[in-house]
Structures are given as C-alpha cells and as structure tokens.
Amino acid sequence: MPTDSLMADTMAEMTATAIQEAAGRGAAALLPVGVIECHGPHLPVGTDAFIALELCRATRRYMAALGREAVIAPPYYWGINGILGEFPGSFRIRPETAAALLRDVITSLSENGFTEILLVSHHGDRLHNEMIRDVLTALHAEGFGGARWLYAPFRWRMYERIGQTGCEPIWVPWEPVAAMEGFRLTGVLGVHADEYETAAIMRYRPETVDHDALRGLQPTRLTLADLQEWRKGGEAARRLTPDGYFGAPNPIDPELWRHYDETARVMAVAVVGPAPAP
C-alpha cells in the first residue's frame, strides 16, 4: 500500500500531488470535527477536536491493516457551542457559519476527487450535531451520498437526541462491542471533560493537561435531571458546572483511553468490512 498518506499526519502535511494521487487510488477522506470550548481547568479547549483527530488516526491505521487507504483532512475546529459558549476560552460560532464552512470543507474534499468522506465528530452539543445532520442530509438530497457520518459520541446517545436511528443514509452504521466498555469507571455520571476525555488527552496530548489543576478536582456528582437542565446552557450551565466540567475528571483506569482505540477498530471494520478468514 502507498505510504505517503500514512506518513503524513493530515492532508495539510501532504503535497497537492500526493493528495491527488491518493484520491485517484480511491482513498477515503476522514474528517475530524470538533469545537473550541472550555473543558474545565485541566483540559485544553481543543479537546474535542484533538480526540476526533486521534480517532481518525487510529481508524486510518486499522483501515490500512484491512487493505483500505485513508487520508485525514485538516481538523474542523469550528463547531457550535450551545451549552458552554459563554465560558472562558470558548469560541461562539454562529450555526449558519458553522454549517456553511462544514459544507464548503466537504465540497472541497469532493472536488479534490474523494468519493468517500467520513465525518468523525467528538462534540456532544445537540445544536452542533443537528447542524452536521442537516448539512449531510442536504448533500444527500442533492445527490452526493459520498459524505457520511462515521462517529458521533455514542455513549451520549447522540442518534436519539437528534431524531436519528443511526441507519439513515447519512450514517455508516455500526454497533458498540464489549471491548469498548471493558474498563473500570468511577460510576459518576459524566458528559464533559470527564474521565473518558481526561484519559484520552493524558494519553495523546499530555503536554496540554494542567496536572496540578487536575489533581485537586472533585467529581460533580450531578444527576440525569441536572444533565437535562445543564443542556439548556447559559445560567443553568454556569450554576451546575461553574468550573466547566461535568463528571469525574480523574480516571481510575489508566487504560481507559483504549475505549477510543477500540472504537476506531470497530469503525474501520464498518467502513472496509472484516478481514478475510485465513
């Protein structure tokens, strides 16, 4: 298999010629999607985009092992903050701006010859995910079915929250497996800057973690009813999570980051199909 697309981190590090050749070979394009948003006092504001990028890197690696080439598009950082938009460090992007830019990015990938464009979005905000849903649905209605959604935060039941089943044409369907969940957890309800995200960033971007701040952080111990209130954003989010995190920031299982690696393994099979029997 050609190695130029595997050696480059993202398309931003590839030459125009290498991109054209990869598209000509039928490589898929993986598009990491995130947001710039407060993630407590311990994690970087780019956490969602960083995790999306790591999911793409791992998925590309597993796809290559199955015989399918993929390249990674430059990360899309400009998602929508409907909950923590007023917190320090968060960027507030208008929904129409986010949608127009995402559409332009996908269209650019298509015009560069990529017929399969797979979105990997690690951001649980409903408004953000409705925006992605609407962009992909519109593209499919216009006859471009090559752009599909490979990953949204599965453990946050994102399909249901935006009125989807995960089997619509805009999705690459897959189901979670036991290997994704075989880790020790605190048992604290967490959805933002919690043990999962901390474990991932400590593994992949340890230099961006404020370890001194993390050491003293206590779990929020909020309830499902609190979660519904928190999702209203604004004053509710500031009251319930004044420090910008929801859950237990400190993971108790040092292997918890593997949740994302196992997720990528499943996604690669969903795209390529299982390896042939020996």
Side-chain angles (χ1 to χ4, degrees):
M1 174 176 291
T3 59
D4 49 359
S5 60
L6 293 175
M7 293 174 62
D9 187 27
T10 73
M11 290 172 62
E13 287 79 45
M14 297 172 65
T15 65
T17 301
I19 292 170
Q20 184 179 44
E21 291 174 349
R25 291 191 296 267
L30 300 171
L31 175 57
V33 177
V35 71
I36 300 299
E37 174 187 51
C38 173
H39 272 74
H42 59 301
L43 296 182
V45 297
T47 287
D48 288 346
F50 294 159
I51 293 177
L53 177 57
E54 294 301 336
L55 278 165
C56 286
R57 287 170 172 158
T59 301
R60 175 178 60 180
R61 185 175 70 251
Y62 288 123
M63 287 177 63
L66 294 170
R68 179 73 192 281
E69 184 181 2
V71 299
I72 301 175
Y76 173 101
Y77 287 97
W78 309 116
I80 299 170
N81 275 314
I83 299 174
L84 282 83
E86 299 176 9
F87 280 61
S90 297
F91 280 39
R92 301 186 70 178
I93 306 300
R94 289 172 293 171
E96 60 270 25
T97 302
L101 180 57
L102 181 61
R103 183 186 176 96
D104 285 350
V105 170
I106 293 172
T107 301
S108 294
L109 289 167
S110 175
E111 290 174 348
N112 271 281
F114 293 97
T115 59
E116 187 169 26
I117 301 162
L118 305 172
L119 275 67
V120 173
S121 176
H122 185 76
H123 180 45
D125 194 296
R126 180 178 58 81
L127 293 177
H128 169 84
N129 287 280
E130 287 178 342
M131 178 272 293
I132 297 175
R133 177 200 64 194
D134 292 346
V135 167
L136 291 177
T137 299
L139 288 169
H140 278 243
E142 295 163 15
F144 181 62
R148 294 188 294 163
W149 205 338
L150 179 58
Y151 173 87
F154 198 98
R155 64 189 178 93
W156 298 334
R157 304 178 70 87
M158 187 51 62
Y159 297 145
E160 296 178 7
R161 290 187 61 213
I162 60 172
Q164 301 272 286
T165 67
C167 295
E168 291 82 3
I170 67 171
W171 295 93
V172 178
W174 54 270
E175 293 293 332
V177 298
M180 292 167 53
E181 306 301 334
F183 305 98
R184 291 183 293 118
L185 299 174
T186 62
V188 174
L189 175 64
V191 297
H192 183 73
D194 64 348
E195 56 196 304
Y196 280 94
E197 294 190 328
T198 300
I201 297 301
M202 288 180 69
R203 170 70 180 188
Y204 298 120
R205 301 279 182 119
E207 73 283 0
T208 68
V209 177
D210 187 332
H211 294 274
D212 291 335
L214 175 61
R215 192 172 297 114
L217 292 184
Q218 298 299 312
T220 54
R221 302 194 183 281
L222 297 170
T223 67
L224 286 172
D226 292 325
L227 175 59
Q228 295 307 312
E229 184 70 11
W230 179 78
R231 284 172 171 165
K232 296 177 181 178
E235 188 279 330
R238 290 193 297 272
R239 173 171 50 83
L240 290 166
T241 58
D243 295 316
Y245 68 92
F246 190 130
N250 283 280
I252 60 173
D253 190 338
E255 297 294 302
L256 184 56
W257 66 271
R258 293 188 182 276
H259 164 83
Y260 296 104
D261 193 71
E262 295 294 345
T263 300
R265 189 193 305 269
V266 174
M267 294 194 302
V269 173
V271 175
V272 181

